[in-house]
Amino acid sequence: MASALLLPAAIDALYDEAYHTLHQDTRLALELSEQARESSLTIDYRPGIARSTYLIAQCRLILWGVDACLEQLQQSFQLFQSLGDRSGEADALNILAIVHGRRGDHTLALEFSQQCLAIRRSLGDLKGEAKSLNNIGVIYRDLLRFADALEALFRSYELADQAGCPHSAAYATGNIAEVFYQIGELTNARSYFQKGLALISETEDQAFRSTALAGLGKTYLDQGQHEQAISCLQHALEIDERTCNLDAKGTTLYQLGRAYLAL
């Protein structure tokens, strides 16, 4: 017997469930977003196709890395453009910037981030603007432009705080900590990693909790506090195992290796 067709409202609810599961159980989020896409294709629900394709790309990025998500990400960007969905277009540009940044093409990453920022400002989207500035800060950090990175990241934090968004504020704070870590200001780095952990506790985002714990762990390690470092890193690894975040797991294992070597 054929399964019942889902109406757009039910597909939207399925997408929302997948989105809220993204940073807790990425494999489940992928399964749900694939169901949403299949149902959207069946009834030619184009907004559902665009959003579910975008979320599938995010899941694939987390689970398997940048090369596994690019096709779906470009498809979603084109779909959002065809629909005139400026917010969706900005979302896709945001992830495209992250992907190209991780591939080492910082010029293209910065171009996508600035396009995304312009759209979000035109929409008056403070939360989105905070996310865009966060990504721009990360790109500047990777280019070793630390003053520019901190300027963008502190502005990202201010906007996230103004918008009442602890999730975006936590990400900005974590990246501020990472900049301080890279320039050797370990006390500041530890303080901001701890602040990021406190902010993310107000949300259900386990992926960032792992990132902040790993950052705190490597900071403790460089300060010679090996037991505290290992405790943080083991906790981060437990979360990575649950969320299936491949990139985070690799980073955590590397830092754990450094910690055990130090002992």
Side-chain angles (χ1 to χ4, degrees), residues 109-215:
L110 190 57
E111 181 182 329
F112 282 139
S113 287
Q114 288 171 337
Q115 289 177 24
C116 177
L117 179 62
I119 293 172
R120 284 171 165 168
R121 281 178 171 165
S122 73
L123 296 173
D125 180 3
L126 286 184
K127 291 181 182 179
E129 187 177 345
K131 290 179 181 179
S132 297
L133 285 167
N134 180 68
N135 277 358
I136 288 171
V138 170
I139 296 165
Y140 283 144
R141 183 196 71 202
D142 292 344
L143 290 169
L144 308 183
R145 293 171 56 177
F146 296 123
D148 290 332
L150 286 175
E151 181 180 354
L153 291 168
F154 275 115
R155 181 56 180 158
S156 172
Y157 173 80
E158 289 170 4
L159 288 174
D161 186 55
Q162 183 180 340
C165 184
H167 185 266
S168 293
Y171 274 75
T173 302
N175 284 317
I176 289 167
E178 189 63 40
V179 172
F180 280 129
Y181 177 83
Q182 288 193 24
I183 63 179
E185 294 190 18
L186 299 182
T187 300
N188 276 335
R190 187 171 72 181
S191 174
Y192 277 95
F193 278 129
Q194 289 169 332
K195 185 174 182 178
L197 277 171
L199 285 166
I200 210 63
S201 68
E202 301 177 35
T203 78
E204 297 179 352
D205 188 328
Q206 292 300 303
F208 179 81
R209 181 169 176 78
S210 162
T211 298
L213 282 166

